[in-house]
Amino acid sequence: MYHDIYPARLPEPFKSYRLLSKAGVRGFPGIDSAQALLLSCLQDPPLPLAEPILDLTAHAGLSALTLSATPLLVERSASAIQVLTAQHLQHLVAIPSQLEGQFATLLAVLPADKGNDTIEELLQAAYRLCAPQGVVYLAGDKDKGFDRYFKWAKQQFGEGEILERHKGYRVAAVVKNKPDPRPNHPATLSFSQYPFQNRGTTLQIASLAGVFSRKGIDLASQLLLEHLPTQLQGSQVLDIGAGAGVLGAWAAAQGAHVTLLEDDLGGVLSCQETLRLNGLNGTVLHSDVGSALPPEARFDLVLSNPPFHVGSDLILDIAEAFIALAAQHLKRGGDFYLVANQFLPYEGLLASWAEVRTIARNKSFKVLHARKR
Ligand code: SAH
């Protein structure tokens, strides 16, 4: 089941450890390959690490089990946070650019799929949080620009070397031996902002690095909004996987009471900022699918543009969990509107509890309407 927590499949040299993980956590059912290479590099033979240690990308918490000293773990994903909590591993729920402090050693796995601006922000945060002469260990994917990021970091920090190359993955260490041009400069969140318009409503969307469709509204979400009912005054609306809050904020602007669920803390903060910018109210929950939603909550309307990835069962699991959540929390006769790529086979899952119709399609996407029986 989507919400179950399992022992992660660990590669050599970690076979003797017991680490928990779950669907939605990076690397599940195993662990992220770049993180595995980073930690095996620090452990075998053990590198003496100066404390305090900050792990900026904790995922399921492997560094807390394998390093010789205890790192402070940082995570932004609600699914990973559930796993850290289940293992009683102390952690901070934060995005790196919110953090303050000075650390002698930092660890960061560069998220290959989140785009340049996220990685640049992560490296900037690592630099700001690194004490003079401190070391940042970086891991990433060669085919996703690792060499370029390493070169940038080496330039910024002053010194660096590649420690390990294995398959497509790289581990590097950079040392902060260049004086910081902005010492003690405070943590700041930098939202990018864009306007969007749909059927007479104009909204400003605020978005942090790493949040879906940061530069402008996604074409699938746009298609969904073009086919939603506009008479939403007073209705209870749930937006699952809210991103920067485009769908939920639009519904709120039509007078709905909205609840937005988002796994990524960067998304949660973006949703809050989007609502604030437009003078709208709503409840934003940092939630792995429905993990933060009260079980008794009921909605008239549920909206979603679920995540998917070609060839990855994992992401389809998430979309399936979104559909199951909609079924559970809709009132009888309530409506679920979902937009998906043409080739994604969601109709069967919906038909088991709802009357399903395709209400719009274009070359790439279809909008499905499911009315709960
Ligand atoms: N609704 C937004 C974002 C759609 S992309 C829009 O239309 O622009 C899908 C979103 O689902 C992403 O923001 C992603 O972070 C979020 N997501 C992925 N896994 C999730 C999970 N397990 N629980 C909640 N949200 C999740």
Side-chain angles (χ1 to χ4, degrees):
M1 290 296 289
Y2 179 82
H3 284 289
D4 293 343
I5 293 180
Y6 305 91
R9 261 184 241 151
L10 298 179
E12 288 298 348
F14 304 116
K15 289 247 192 275
S16 63
Y17 291 99
R18 187 180 147 83
L19 183 80
L20 299 178
S21 192
K22 75 172 290 298
V25 178
R26 217 167 255 274
F28 180 80
I31 52 168
D32 179 78
S33 303
Q35 186 186 46
L37 189 65
L38 171 63
L39 293 172
S40 69
C41 190
L42 297 181
Q43 190 214 26
D44 192 17
L47 271 181
L49 302 179
E51 295 182 69
I53 306 169
L54 186 68
D55 183 351
L56 286 169
T57 48
H59 305 179
L62 187 61
S63 65
L65 306 188
T66 62
L67 294 181
S68 53
T70 309
L72 180 56
L73 303 179
V74 180
E75 235 325 303
R76 57 189 287 168
S77 154
S79 53
I81 288 159
Q82 289 181 78
V83 162
L84 297 175
T85 305
Q87 298 175 102
H88 309 289
L89 296 174
Q90 261 196 15
H91 59 272
L92 292 176
V93 178
I95 59 173
S97 45
Q98 288 179 299
L99 297 169
E100 303 272 5
Q102 291 282 280
F103 297 84
T105 304
L106 293 98
L107 275 52
V109 177
L110 308 183
D113 55 334
K114 293 281 185 180
N116 260 339
D117 53 356
T118 319
I119 295 181
E120 277 161 22
E121 200 175 278
L122 179 59
L123 292 173
Q124 287 289 2
Y127 180 75
R128 188 171 50 75
L129 295 161
C130 186
Q133 303 307 321
V135 186
V136 180
Y137 293 95
L138 300 171
D141 192 329
K142 176 173 85 59
D143 295 334
K144 304 282 165 59
F146 185 82
D147 293 341
R148 186 162 44 86
Y149 295 121
F150 169 61
K151 212 169 131 191
W152 181 89
K154 194 166 144 178
Q155 186 79 30
Q156 167 105 352
F157 281 73
E159 194 185 316
E161 61 173 324
I162 301 272
L163 301 180
E164 186 82 58
R165 294 183 170 85
H166 183 68
K167 296 192 178 151
Y169 301 99
R170 299 288 178 270
V171 175
V174 289
V175 180
K176 189 178 184 175
N177 62 13
K178 251 194 197 170
D180 193 336
R182 295 202 292 172
N184 310 323
H185 97 262
T188 41
L189 289 177
S190 35
F191 291 99
S192 70
Q193 210 175 303
Y194 62 87
F196 99 92
Q197 222 213 355
N198 180 61
R199 296 148 87 199
T201 299
T202 302
L203 294 172
Q204 288 293 327
I205 304 302
S207 171
L208 291 169
V211 177
F212 180 79
S213 79
R214 187 176 195 209
K215 302 266 153 66
I217 185 165
D218 176 64
L219 293 175
S221 304
Q222 178 79 49
L223 185 69
L224 176 61
L225 286 175
E226 281 164 10
H227 293 89
L228 289 182
T230 49
Q231 299 298 323
L232 299 180
Q233 191 68 40
S235 58
Q236 298 287 341
V237 174
L238 180 67
D239 177 354
I240 311 177
V246 180
L247 306 179
W250 186 83
Q254 315 311 309
H257 300 290
V258 298
T259 301
L260 294 82
L261 306 179
E262 172 54 51
D263 177 75
D264 176 46
L265 183 63
V268 169
L269 297 168
S270 302
C271 287
Q272 288 167 342
E273 180 66 7
T274 294
L275 290 172
R276 192 193 67 77
L277 273 177
N278 296 285
L280 298 168
N281 291 317
T283 304
V284 185
L285 302 175
H286 191 201
S287 187
D288 175 15
V289 190
S291 65
L293 192 64
E296 69 283 2
R298 287 295 175 272
F299 298 90
D300 302 297
L301 188 70
V302 177
L303 308 175
S304 192
N305 176 3
F308 75 96
H309 200 280
V310 184
S312 165
D313 295 345
L314 169 71
I315 312 285
L316 275 185
D317 283 1
I318 296 177
E320 287 177 13
F322 280 20
I323 292 173
L325 188 77
Q328 186 188 340
H329 287 274
L330 270 175
K331 295 176 186 168
R332 189 166 301 158
D335 296 305
F336 181 32
Y337 289 88
L338 161 154
V339 63
N341 271 58
Q342 287 286 4
F343 59 83
L344 293 172
Y346 295 141
E347 287 83 348
L349 287 170
L350 294 165
S352 66
W353 56 272
E355 302 302 326
V356 190
R357 294 183 301 146
T358 303
I359 57 167
R361 58 167 86 234
N362 61 22
K363 262 193 284 182
S364 315
F365 309 110
K366 59 188 172 191
V367 177
L368 303 178
H369 169 227
R371 177 159 289 168
K372 186 172 173 176
R373 284 194 282 268

